[in-house]
Each structure stands twice: as C-alpha cells, then as structure tokens.
Amino acid sequence: MGTIVVGYVPKPEGHAALRRALEEATLRRARLVVVNSQRGGRDVEGGAAAEVDVDLDGIRRRLDEAGIEHEVRHLVRGMDPADDLVAVAEEVQAEFIVIGLRRRSPVGKLILGSNAQRVLLDAPCPVLAVKAEED
Amino acid sequence: MGTIVVGYVPKPEGHAALRRALEEATLRRARLVVVNSQRGGRDVEGGAAAEVDVDLDGIRRRLDEAGIEHEVRHLVRGMDPADDLVAVAEEVQAEFIVIGLRRRSPVGKLILGSNAQRVLLDAPCPVLAVKAEED
C-alpha cells in the first residue's frame, strides 16, 4: 500500500491540497499522512492552536468516513514546513506529496512561495501542486 | 475520460515526466497528450529536428503498445514551452499536467527553472512535478 503525504494548513490552499490528496488516496487505495506544521513555541497563541486542533479533528472524521487509512501529524518542532514535509515523505517513503499553492500578492497574482519551491526541489518523490480556489 | 497533459523534451527530465504520465494515464484510464515544444524557425538545426522526430515516433509506439489513447503534439510556433503547455491544458481541459524538473547547476543542485515556475503558477489545473533520475 502506497502512502501519500499532504501538507495541511487551515487556509484555502490547505483545504485544496487535502481535498485532492483524499481523491488520490481513494483512487490509489493509498494511506494518507496529513502533516500540519507549526512553528510553535511562543509564536503560537492559544486561540490559534485550539482552532487548528478543532480543524484536525474534523479532518480525522472526514478521512474516517471516507474509509481512508490515515495519520494526522501536528508538528510543533520549530522546523520550516518544507523541512517537515520532506522529512515525513522520506520517513514513510511517500509515493508523492500534495501541496497547495496560495495567492499572495495584493492583486491576487500567484507567486511561488519559498516553502513550495523547497518542497518541489527537496522532495524525495514527485510533488502534486494544486491551487486554492478563487475567493 | 480525463486527459493528462505532459511536457516532453528529449532529456532526462522529459523521460521522467513521460514515464510518470504513462503510469497515471494507465491508472486513471485517461487520455494522454504529449506536448513537445520547440522554439522553431531558424534556431532549429536539421539534425536536432530529425532527432526529435525519431524520438516522438518511439513515444507513439510506446503509448500504442501500452494501449493508451494519445496524441503527440510537436509544436514549433515560437511560444515558450510553458505557454504551450498551459494553452494545451486549457484547450483539452486537462485533469493535470506532468512536468519534469531538471538539474541545472554545475554541482547538480536542482533549481526551479522559470518554465517550471510558470507552468505551476499559470496552469488551469494541478501540476505533478517529477524529478529526473540522477545521471
């Protein structure tokens, strides 16, 4: 059974990535590892952390209902999200990684962020990049 | 039936992309559109053009043998490969695009080329980026 790793953040690009990863896991009968990476420590306010927890619970339920074997990793270890994703992909020998690309500039133009670039370059496997839907 | 678009160049990254696209087309029972983009006109020497032709013939045979419905487009219209790929993906309403990432720098470090970045950002669909094998 193959494993798909998806980078999740509670934002439109994270939702888009998760949706696509779920479809791929269903199609391939693969296991899904959801990685939510947080810089952690003093940066994280209680409110924001609690919000992510609720969000991850929802994701667990959704994957349970879809009958997908899964694991949700909430990493607060001060690594860059890109490093976390690549490390997990190496550890589980991922078939591929799914990441979401976000719209950044004020005019809504997409810019390839440094995290996305690093995942694309450093990943030990192919990377599927999906875009967040328009707001 | 979905359609997968793959950017092909007769180089290691092009072979890696094609191999992966073929696997995905088989898995999804999708149609494959192979796009080989060449700047064309006076830039192209007779020898190089003939080499590409032979190469594309080989690809057609390989896809025939794999039983994959396909189309090979050899575009010599002076557009950037990224623009060609995005235009074809829009035209055929591609499910996703497969591109290969190449090793560029003298020390073999991967650098995300401007064509890859533009496909990732401008594509109307998800993009699967695969790496060329080590030489």
Side-chain angles (χ1 to χ4, degrees):
Chain A
M1 176 182 255
T3 303
I4 295 170
V5 171
V6 56
Y8 177 75
V9 283
K11 291 178 187 164
E13 63 270 25
H15 296 300
L18 186 67
R19 192 175 312 119
R20 182 68 185 216
L22 200 153
E23 285 170 19
E24 294 295 329
T26 305
L27 176 68
R28 297 162 196 272
R29 294 191 180 81
R31 190 168 75 96
L32 196 58
V33 178
V34 180
V35 178
N36 173 250
S37 197
Q38 216 167 275
R39 274 309 200 106
R42 279 170 299 180
D43 302 353
V44 185
E45 291 168 34
E51 222 169 86
V52 171
D53 281 346
V54 170
D55 212 46
L56 295 181
D57 278 345
I59 289 172
R60 281 189 200 95
R61 267 199 307 278
R62 197 164 141 201
L63 295 174
D64 273 338
E65 281 163 18
I68 291 169
E69 192 180 314
H70 65 275
E71 193 183 318
V72 178
R73 298 199 191 180
H74 184 190
L75 302 175
V76 189
R77 55 186 187 190
M79 282 167 77
D80 273 334
D83 293 329
D84 272 334
L85 261 183
V86 169
V88 171
E90 275 166 0
E91 181 205 319
V92 304
Q93 297 184 290
E95 226 178 298
F96 59 94
I97 298 173
V98 185
I99 59 171
L101 302 182
R102 63 171 143 171
R103 300 181 183 279
R104 281 203 185 206
S105 78
V107 291
K109 194 170 153 45
L110 269 166
I111 296 171
L112 208 54
S114 63
N115 266 310
Q117 293 209 29
R118 291 192 33 227
V119 173
L120 284 157
L121 294 177
D122 296 342
C125 57
V127 177
L128 183 64
V130 304
K131 286 194 200 73
E133 280 81 19
E134 309 275 351
D135 287 337
Chain B
M1 177 182 257
T3 303
I4 295 170
V5 171
V6 55
Y8 177 74
V9 283
K11 292 179 186 164
E13 63 270 23
H15 297 299
L18 185 66
R19 193 174 313 120
R20 182 67 185 215
L22 200 154
E23 287 170 18
E24 294 294 330
T26 306
L27 175 69
R28 297 161 195 272
R29 295 193 179 79
R31 191 167 74 98
L32 196 59
V33 178
V34 180
V35 178
N36 172 249
S37 197
Q38 215 168 277
R39 273 313 199 104
R42 279 170 299 181
D43 303 354
V44 186
E45 294 167 31
E51 223 170 86
V52 170
D53 281 346
V54 170
D55 210 49
L56 295 181
D57 278 345
I59 289 172
R60 281 189 198 95
R61 268 199 307 278
R62 196 165 142 201
L63 295 174
D64 274 338
E65 280 163 19
I68 290 169
E69 191 180 315
H70 64 276
E71 191 183 320
V72 178
R73 299 200 191 179
H74 184 192
L75 302 175
V76 190
R77 56 185 187 190
M79 282 168 76
D80 273 333
D83 292 331
D84 271 334
L85 260 184
V86 169
V88 171
E90 276 167 358
E91 181 206 319
V92 304
Q93 296 185 289
E95 227 178 297
F96 59 95
I97 298 174
V98 185
I99 59 171
L101 302 182
R102 62 171 143 171
R103 299 181 184 282
R104 283 202 183 206
S105 78
V107 293
K109 194 171 153 45
L110 270 165
I111 298 172
L112 208 55
S114 63
N115 265 309
Q117 293 208 29
R118 291 192 32 227
V119 173
L120 283 157
L121 294 177
D122 295 344
C125 57
V127 177
L128 182 64
V130 305
K131 286 193 200 74
E133 281 81 19
E134 310 275 349
D135 287 337

